[in-house]
């Protein structure tokens, strides 16, 4: 199957559902006991299922996740892929983003990222310095588009004011349970100004036994997990990434695309899903 793409004002487009690579090959450092062959198979299986957006980062397994992705995509036509990379917060000063991107591209075995993000905020490094380096990456052709991750509304506005090129995406912790970007006005701002919201952890913490979720899932003929994913991608300017090592979970995730929830049901879930959290417990916005 072909995963649909979504386009925002300004013309930036990307797939509505992608595969994450956090914890492939290790956590923040390479795990010498990791089953690399298994992880490469996981990536290839997702590609075969239509998930051609691969989201990775230099921090994942100390760069080893990128090496695994590079092995998995070897021989795949580059135009079939949408690759997102991220520079870690310790590399945001000076030419740090340039060196980080170059190293990541070598590990992946490709010439450029489709999208390159500032992974997390580092208040100790001037934002202007970081954005100038990100602009340089785009000018020099190492990245096709730039964005940020885990940026609050105020910080995103600052980054936009400093950038000579559009900041096309903000990757954020967002799902039925975690609503920080709604309550802060960040979601509305991104939707109105042409910044794609890439939701990470779209299912973590979501209670799929909630009666409202099971009721709507039955009505649409899909599983509660599929409904939780579709709730995100049915919203304007929102896409998501999800990781699945199990073939059955992968098939279930892919079944979340290709259909759209009615707007009134999107809003009903927004209002009525219980146990909503006002702040991300993983990476609160700053």
């Amino acid at each position: 199957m072909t995963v649909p793409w979504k386009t925002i004002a300004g013309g930036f487009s990307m797939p509505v559902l992608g595969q994450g690579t956090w914890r492939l090959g290790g956590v923040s450092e390479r795990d010498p006991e990791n089953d690399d062959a298994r992880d490469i198979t996981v990536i290839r299986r997702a590609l075969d299922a239509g998930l051609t957006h691969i989201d990775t980062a230099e921090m994942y397994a100390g760069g080893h996740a990128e090496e695994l992705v590079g092995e998995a995509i070897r021989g795949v036509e580059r135009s079939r892929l949408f690759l997102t990379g991220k520079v870690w917060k310790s590399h945001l000063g000076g030419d740090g983003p340039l060196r980080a991107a170059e190293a990541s591209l070598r590990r992946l075995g490709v010439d450029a990222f489709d999208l390159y993000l500032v992974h997390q905020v580092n208040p100790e490094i001037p934002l202007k310095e970081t954005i100038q380096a990100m602009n340089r990456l785009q000018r020099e052709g190492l990245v096709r588009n730039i964005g940020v991750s885990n940026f609050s509304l105020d910080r995103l506005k600052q980054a936009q004011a400093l950038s000579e090129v559009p900041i096309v995406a903000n990757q954020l912790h967002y799902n039925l349970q975690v609503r920080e970007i709604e309550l802060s006005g960040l979601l509305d701002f991104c939707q109105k100004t042409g910044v794609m919201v890439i939701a990470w952890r779209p299912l973590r913490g979501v209670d799929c036994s909630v009666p409202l979720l099971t009721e709507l899932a039955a009505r649409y003929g899909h599983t509660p997990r599929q409904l939780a994913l579709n709730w995100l991608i049915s919203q304007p300017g929102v896409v998501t990434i999800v990781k699945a090592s199990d073939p059955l979970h992968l098939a279930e995730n892919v079944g979340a695309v290709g259909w759209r929830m009615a707007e009134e049901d999107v809003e009903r879930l927004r209002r009525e899903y219980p146990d909503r959290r006002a702040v991300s417990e993983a990476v609160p916005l700053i």
Side-chain angles (χ1 to χ4, degrees):
M1 112 171 247
T2 300
V3 171
W5 287 47
K6 186 172 288 189
T7 303
I8 55 174
F12 172 70
S13 299
M14 67 183 300
V16 300
L17 183 66
Q19 54 174 317
T21 58
W22 170 234
R23 291 185 176 271
L24 285 186
V27 185
S28 59
E29 297 181 358
R30 180 176 183 173
D31 179 1
E33 303 299 320
N34 186 69
D35 187 343
D36 288 355
R38 177 203 60 199
D39 285 349
I40 291 168
T41 298
V42 165
I43 298 166
R44 288 177 175 163
R45 188 184 292 132
L47 285 171
D48 290 341
L51 297 186
T52 54
H53 172 206
I54 304 176
D55 178 279
T56 191
E58 63 165 342
M59 186 272 277
Y60 296 169
H64 187 49
E66 294 173 326
E67 294 173 337
L68 296 175
V69 171
E71 181 63 30
I73 64 175
R74 186 176 300 172
V76 178
E77 186 177 345
R78 179 64 179 88
S79 61
R80 285 190 55 219
L81 302 169
F82 187 99
L83 299 178
T84 296
K86 298 188 278 291
V87 53
W88 187 235
K89 60 185 177 181
S90 59
H91 295 156
L92 298 182
D95 64 356
L98 177 65
R99 303 299 167 223
E102 289 174 335
S104 291
L105 292 170
R106 283 196 298 270
R107 288 189 286 266
L108 289 163
V110 298
D111 295 328
F113 281 108
D114 297 286
L115 177 63
Y116 198 60
L117 309 176
V118 176
H119 199 156
Q120 281 192 22
V121 171
N122 186 341
E124 297 182 2
I125 296 175
L127 185 57
K128 181 178 181 179
E129 196 172 315
T130 301
I131 297 301
Q132 286 177 339
M134 296 291 283
N135 283 190
R136 179 184 172 190
L137 282 171
Q138 186 162 335
R139 284 197 308 270
E140 296 187 3
L142 294 179
V143 307
R144 298 186 177 113
N145 300 277
I146 66 167
V148 297
S149 183
N150 305 303
F151 271 39
S152 67
L153 177 56
D154 287 344
R155 197 172 298 271
L156 174 60
K157 289 179 177 179
Q158 292 171 27
Q160 288 176 318
L162 292 167
S163 184
E164 298 172 4
V165 300
I167 293 175
V168 300
N170 193 359
Q171 189 175 110
L172 298 155
H173 191 190
Y174 181 44
N175 59 34
L176 277 168
Q177 183 191 57
V178 180
R179 303 296 187 83
E180 185 170 4
I181 72 169
E182 291 179 1
L183 298 172
S184 67
L186 179 55
L187 175 62
D188 183 64
F189 177 81
C190 288
Q191 290 172 326
K192 289 179 177 177
T193 60
V195 177
M196 191 78 82
V197 169
I198 306 170
W200 56 268
R201 288 195 184 175
L203 296 172
R204 180 84 63 89
V206 174
D207 183 356
C208 288
S209 67
V210 167
L212 174 59
L213 202 55
T214 57
E215 171 203 328
L216 291 174
R219 186 196 306 169
Y220 281 96
H222 288 278
T223 68
R225 283 171 57 94
Q226 290 171 334
L227 204 78
L229 290 172
N230 193 269
W231 178 77
L232 290 166
I233 63 179
S234 288
Q235 299 184 55
V238 180
V239 300
T240 191
I241 50 174
V242 66
K243 179 186 170 188
S245 301
D246 180 87
L248 293 177
H249 282 165
L250 173 61
E252 186 176 21
N253 292 340
V254 173
V257 305
W259 55 283
R260 185 181 179 90
M261 198 182 307
E263 186 175 347
E264 56 266 29
D265 291 329
V266 170
E267 294 308 314
R268 186 180 174 199
L269 278 167
R270 193 189 313 281
R271 293 190 311 268
E272 299 179 21
Y273 180 86
D275 191 31
R276 300 186 297 276
R277 295 188 180 177
V279 177
S280 165
E281 77 285 359
V283 186
L285 298 179
I286 59 173

